[in-house]
Structures are given as C-alpha cells and as structure tokens.
Amino acid sequence: MIEIPKTLEDMSMRERCGMLETVACALEAVAEEAEDLGDIRFAAHSKCVACTIRGYTDNLATQDIKSAELLLELGITLVHLSSTRSAGAEATMSHNTYVCH
C-alpha cells in the first residue's frame, strides 16, 4: 500500500527528527565527497547547513516549522547539486581519458 507523503507539519516529532537527521547525514557525506574532490567551499556550505539542521532537531517542537522546511529544502538541493555535479565530473573525466588515449 502506497502512503500519501506527509508535510513536515503533519509528521510526528519522531518522523520530523528522522527526516532532519537523514538530510543532515546526507549533507555530511556530500561534504566529505566535496573535500575529496578539492571543493572546500562546497564542503563548508554542506557542513554548515548540516549543523544548522541538527540544531533544529534539538528544539523542533518550539521552533518554526517553516524555517525547518526551508533548511530541509536547502539541504536536499545541495545534495542534488552534488550528485549532478559529480555525474558531470565523471563524464568529463571519462571523456578526457578517452581523448588522451
């Protein structure tokens, strides 16, 4: 059975915390990849957003849900940008390798 997606406001406190934690962990992984690729600025931005999201997790019941939603959107966008950028870099690297041979 397929469930209808919930908004952050409709989620229980446990579900909200789980969502925030998932995005924060993904951002930390993206930051590590960016550091490995030498993109220190992207890594710093990703870490900063991850830390901010984790800060919201501690007091989410008293925080503004709209702010948490915006942070989640930003975090998800950064993760998406990282994946599309990584795919583009791999294509360029494989193309350059092909050209060099």
Side-chain angles (χ1 to χ4, degrees), residues 51-66:
C51 287
T52 305
I53 288 172
R54 287 189 197 267
Y56 258 79
T57 304
D58 293 338
N59 297 314
L60 190 57
T62 60
Q63 296 289 338
D64 179 18
I65 296 296
K66 286 293 180 191

Side-chain angles (χ1 to χ4, degrees), residues 8-84:
L8 199 59
E9 193 171 329
D10 295 334
M11 291 180 182
S12 68
M13 181 59 68
R14 184 176 182 191
E15 290 171 321
R16 288 178 192 164
C17 289
M19 176 66 75
L20 290 164
E21 181 64 23
T22 299
V23 173
C25 286
L27 284 166
E28 288 169 344
V30 161
E32 191 173 311
E33 284 180 19
E35 284 178 347
D36 290 345
L37 294 172
D39 192 346
I40 304 304
R41 184 177 291 169
F42 193 87
H45 289 301
S46 298
K47 286 179 185 178
C48 183
V49 175
C51 287
T52 305
I53 288 172
R54 287 189 197 267
Y56 258 79
T57 304
D58 293 338
N59 297 314
L60 190 57
T62 60
Q63 296 289 338
D64 179 18
I65 296 296
K66 286 293 180 191
S67 297
E69 287 175 349
L70 289 172
L71 281 170
L72 285 172
E73 285 179 30
L74 176 60
I76 292 167
T77 299
L78 283 171
V79 171
H80 176 71
L81 286 173
S82 174
S83 67
T84 57

